[in-house]
Amino acid sequence: MAPPSIALVASLLLGAVSAQSLGRTPEVHPKITTWKCTKRNGCKEQKSAIVLDSATHPIYQKDNKELGCGNWGSAPNATVCPDQATCAKNCIMEGISSYADYGVTTKGSSLKLEMMGKNGVASPRVYLLEGNEKKYEMLKLTGNEFSFDVDVSRLPCGMNGALYLSEMKQDGGKSKLNKGGAAYGTGYCDAQCFTTPWVEGVGNIEGKGICCNELDIWEANARATHLAPHTCNKPGLYLCEGEECTSTGVCDKPGCGMNPWRHDVFDYYGPTKEFTIDTSKPFTVVTSFPADSNGKLVEIQRKYIQNGRVFENAAKATADPIDDAYCVGQNAQDFLRLGGMTGMGEAMTRGMVLAMSIWWDEGGFMQWLDSGEAGPCSATEGDPKNVVVVEPRPEVTFSQIRWGEIGSTSNMRKRPHH
C-alpha cells in the first residue's frame, strides 16, 4: 500500500484487528489454483486457498454481541482487555462460511474482489494460504519472478486493486492466545506502522505500531499503476513506539515508486486500444527480482504481456529497472536509509505473504496513485461518492498466479491454462 492519508486507515488497516477465542461458525476458504514454475519443467499446478483478513471476520464481546473489542488507532478497549489473556477470553471471532457475502469469489485460478459486499462496503483484503489451509504460502522471490493476470476494467479513478507482499509470519502468529492463526487471517503488518487494537491475534495492550517490510508489486486502477518496495530496518514484524513509528523511524513509508505517468509517459497505460497496455482488457504482469552471485537483490524489473505480445516496461531515462541508483534519482531517501535493495531482498529471501485487496481513499481520493503528476484523474474523481457514479460495483480480478525462476512464469509456450 502506497502513502495513505490518515483518514483512509479504517478501510486499509482493518486487517491488524482480530480476536482469539473462536466462535461456532465454520471457516470455509475459497480454493484457487496457483503454479510454481521452473524453466526446465514449466509450471506445476498446486491447490491453494484464500483467507480473509482477520478483522473482516465478525468480532464481538463475549457477554454482549453488539459490542466490539477495540477501534483502529489505539490500544484495545481497556475494560474488556486489561491484559492479553483477558482479551483472548472476552473477545470472540467467528469464522466466515460465505466469502461471497464479503465480495470474495474464486473460480479455477481466478480471484474476484468486489468493493461492495452483501451488507454494503466490503473492501476485502485476502491472503494466499497453502493447500493445507493452516499456513500462509511463503513466497521467496529474491532471484526469481512473479506473474499474474489482472482485469482492472472496472476500477475507475480513485480505486486501487492491490497485490503485494508483507513480511508476516507463516502461521499468522498462532499461539495459545491466538488459536485461529493464518487460517483466520491473523498477523498482518506493513511498512506504514499503524497502531491497531490487536497484533498477531493478541491484544496490543500498549498500543504500539505494527511494522514490517512491504513490497507493493501492483497498485492500480484502469488509469494508473504503481510499483514500490518499502524497506524496514527490522526483520519480520516489529512493534514500534514514538519516533520509531514516524516517517523518520524504522520503516520507509513513501517507498521507491515507479509510475509511468510520473516519468511523463502518458500513452503507455490506459483504458483504450490507443494505449500500449489497454486496461479495458485483461493482461499479464511479470515482475522479476534479479540477484547477484551472493544472492543479494539487485533490481526490480517489470514487463507486460497482452494479446500474445510482450511489452517492456514504460521507461524514460532511469524509469526501469528499479535499483538503488534509480531510487537515488527519485530522492527515495528513506528507502535507501533503511536498507535499499539489499534490505528488501533480505526480507524476500526470508519469505513474505501474498496479500490482495480492493479499496478506495475517503481521505485523499487516491490522488497519490492517479491524479496530478501521478495520473490523468482529476482531484475529485477519486471521491468514493463520485466513484460509484462511474462504477456502482467496482471490482478487480487476479488470476493465473505463478512464481518461480526468472523466465519460467512468462514463457507463453509453457503458460498454464484455466
Side-chain angles (χ1 to χ4, degrees):
M1 296 177 301
S5 64
I6 295 300
L8 65 92
V9 166
S11 63
L12 285 180
L13 265 291
L14 289 173
V17 185
S18 70
Q20 291 70 56
S21 296
L22 304 181
R24 297 181 178 180
T25 305
E27 180 76 9
V28 182
H29 299 127
K31 309 302 187 292
I32 188 171
T33 301
T34 61
W35 287 266
K36 289 185 179 179
C37 307
T38 63
K39 287 187 288 186
R40 181 175 181 177
N41 297 316
C43 295
K44 182 178 180 181
E45 181 178 305
Q46 57 180 20
K47 300 300 182 184
S48 303
I50 295 295
V51 61
L52 269 161
D53 185 276
S54 55
T56 303
H57 292 68
I59 300 171
Y60 56 87
Q61 292 182 23
K62 180 181 63 176
D63 296 325
N64 189 341
K65 288 190 176 183
E66 301 302 315
L67 299 178
C69 292
N71 297 312
W72 180 89
S74 65
N77 182 300
T79 301
V80 181
C81 297
D83 55 68
Q84 293 178 341
T86 305
C87 264
K89 185 180 300 183
N90 286 344
C91 294
I92 308 297
M93 175 168 59
E94 296 288 349
I96 295 176
S97 57
S98 177
Y99 270 56
D101 291 348
Y102 296 83
V104 180
T105 54
T106 61
K107 182 178 181 181
S109 77
S110 296
L111 164 68
K112 182 166 71 173
L113 300 177
E114 298 177 83
M115 186 66 189
M116 312 305 292
K118 180 180 179 180
N119 298 312
V121 176
S123 188
R125 180 171 64 223
V126 301
Y127 312 117
L128 185 65
L129 290 170
E130 291 183 339
N132 62 22
E133 302 181 37
K134 297 179 180 179
K135 294 182 178 181
Y136 296 125
E137 182 74 60
M138 297 302 286
L139 301 184
K140 298 182 178 181
L141 294 181
T142 305
N144 294 306
E145 76 180 11
F146 182 92
S147 297
F148 61 96
D149 291 5
V150 65
D151 185 344
V152 296
S153 61
R154 294 184 65 179
L155 290 180
C157 292
M159 290 303 304
N160 190 340
L163 181 151
Y164 62 104
L165 299 177
S166 166
E167 197 180 354
M168 300 157 62
K169 290 182 181 176
Q170 186 172 29
D171 64 359
K174 190 172 183 178
S175 65
K176 290 182 179 180
L177 297 181
N178 174 18
K179 297 179 181 179
Y184 280 72
T186 68
Y188 182 73
C189 56
D190 64 29
Q192 302 304 321
C193 298
F194 292 118
T195 297
T196 54
W198 306 79
V199 53
E200 291 191 326
V202 177
N204 185 11
I205 304 302
E206 298 179 3
K208 295 183 178 181
I210 305 169
C211 311
C212 69
N213 285 281
E214 172 188 352
L215 173 57
D216 296 333
I217 294 177
W218 183 255
E219 294 193 275
N221 53 42
R223 307 305 300 277
T225 181
H226 179 83
L227 160 64
H230 300 258
T231 50
C232 301
N233 64 2
K234 305 289 185 180
L237 187 148
Y238 177 76
L239 298 182
C240 66
E241 297 182 87
E243 289 297 316
E244 290 183 320
C245 305
T246 68
S247 59
T248 60
V250 298
C251 287
D252 161 37
K253 301 181 187 307
C256 178
M258 196 288 296
N259 173 335
W261 193 272
R262 290 183 182 273
H263 293 281
D264 299 327
V265 183
F266 306 130
D267 60 354
Y268 187 81
Y269 182 95
T272 71
K273 63 181 181 180
E274 305 304 319
F275 292 87
T276 303
I277 305 301
D278 178 1
T279 60
S280 69
K281 297 177 173 58
F283 52 92
T284 301
V285 182
V286 183
T287 312
S288 301
F289 306 94
D292 64 17
S293 59
N294 295 315
K296 292 185 178 181
L297 179 67
V298 174
E299 61 190 27
I300 300 174
Q301 301 174 354
R302 166 63 55 78
K303 63 182 176 181
Y304 298 88
I305 303 171
Q306 191 172 46
N307 297 325
R309 297 178 59 195
V310 177
F311 299 93
E312 296 302 322
N313 197 25
K316 273 193 175 183
T318 58
D320 185 71
I322 296 178
D323 57 14
D324 283 342
Y326 168 82
C327 296
V328 170
Q330 298 303 301
N331 198 31
Q333 297 177 353
D334 289 340
F335 175 76
L336 297 165
R337 172 177 64 87
L338 296 165
M341 281 294 152
T342 297
M344 191 76 257
E346 288 173 350
M348 293 164 63
T349 298
R350 289 189 293 266
M352 302 179 78
V353 174
L354 179 65
M356 291 165 283
S357 66
I358 181 172
W359 55 282
W360 56 32
D361 181 354
E362 295 181 356
F365 300 166
M366 211 71 73
Q367 291 181 26
W368 63 267
L369 173 65
D370 59 24
S371 182
E373 65 174 18
C377 302
S378 75
T380 58
E381 280 182 277
D383 184 336
K385 297 183 183 64
N386 296 328
V387 170
V388 294
V389 173
V390 176
E391 177 52 71
R393 299 194 65 84
E395 66 179 49
V396 62
T397 298
F398 297 109
S399 61
Q400 299 279 332
I401 295 171
R402 50 207 186 274
W403 62 93
E405 295 176 297
I406 293 176
S408 68
T409 72
S410 57
N411 187 325
M412 298 300 292
R413 292 175 299 170
K414 296 185 178 182
R415 280 279 308 282
H417 298 284
H418 290 282

